[in-house]
Structures are given as C-alpha cells and as structure tokens.
Amino acid sequence: MDSWLIWLTAALLLGAAEIFTLTAALGLLGGAALVTAAFAALGLPLPWQFLLFAVVATAGVLFVRPAALRRLAPPQEARFGVDALVGGSAYVTSEVTGLGGRVRIGGEEWTACAYDETLVIPPGTAVDVIEIKGTTALVYPRE
C-alpha cells in the first residue's frame, strides 16, 4: 500500500474523530496527515514524511489551536446594573435576618435578607451578594 494512501486514511480517521470530540486537536492532526499525504504522493521519502507530519502537527497544535479556541469561545458578557452586584461583597450595617436588614454594597445602603432564612447576621459581617430581588439583596456570610 502506498504511503500517501496511509496518510490519507489517517487524515480521514482523525477528521472523523474530531467530529466526536470537538477539541480542535484531532482535526489539526488530520490536517497535518493530509499535508503529509500530499507530499508523500509527490514522492517525499518516508523519514521526511514523518518529520513533515511532526512539524505541521506541532505548529498546528501550538499556534492554530489556541487562536481557534479564542475565536470560538464566547466573549464574557458585561454585567450592568444590579446584575453587576451579584457575586460581589457587602458589609452588614444593620442585623440581617430572613425578614430584613441593611447592607452596604459599593457605597450604597441596600435592604437585605439572609439567603438562608434561619441565619442571623450581625452588623460588621462581610457577606456575599447571592441574588438581587427587586430592591432587596439576598446575602450569605463569608467564611
């Protein structure tokens, strides 16, 4: 069997495996095998074929794959308004229970309730903002 046919088969198998994994790595290896198959069909000796495959595969995995993943990754969405407060920290200014209380978030006073209704959070405690419901922050003490 000719070496170019073996490289072509390897390229097809790697391309098919890429469809199932979606990692962009196997597809690049398949592309390297396809390039090697083309040069093998032109008569490149076997040791040079392996070297060509190694160089093209390495270049693809080191340079093309990171660029492709950056391009395919969804951009981080900017959060505005009260959505930007969720996940942040707050400072309890008035005892917070499941029924109410007050916290300071980013220099502003907010009404607050404990995320766990059984908790009583004393003034001066640092808390995390878990959720904002209307004008009330649901908070949980930091550990």
Side-chain angles (χ1 to χ4, degrees):
M1 183 183 259
D2 291 332
S3 62
W4 68 269
L5 194 55
I6 294 171
W7 286 111
L8 186 61
T9 304
L12 292 174
L13 290 174
L14 287 166
E18 175 62 36
I19 292 171
F20 295 108
T21 62
L22 299 175
T23 61
L26 294 176
L28 289 170
L29 293 177
L34 190 62
V35 168
T36 306
F39 278 91
L42 294 175
L44 190 67
L46 189 61
W48 289 102
Q49 291 175 25
F50 285 117
L51 181 64
L52 177 66
F53 176 77
V55 168
V56 173
T58 302
V61 171
L62 290 180
F63 300 112
V64 176
R65 184 172 184 265
L69 292 179
R70 276 193 306 271
R71 188 166 181 91
L72 293 175
Q76 288 186 344
E77 296 180 21
R79 297 185 308 170
F80 298 98
V82 295
D83 291 335
L85 301 176
V86 174
S89 62
Y91 178 78
V92 177
T93 58
S94 172
E95 183 178 83
V96 175
T97 64
L99 300 174
R102 304 283 294 173
V103 294
R104 182 171 300 279
I105 305 173
E108 297 179 348
E109 288 265 337
W110 281 72
T111 58
C113 288
Y115 187 71
D116 180 359
E117 295 178 0
T118 61
L119 288 177
V120 176
I121 306 170
T125 304
V127 292
D128 290 321
V129 179
I130 305 298
E131 187 178 349
I132 303 285
K133 283 190 176 180
T135 59
T136 303
L138 299 177
V139 297
Y140 194 82
R142 286 193 162 183
E143 296 180 12

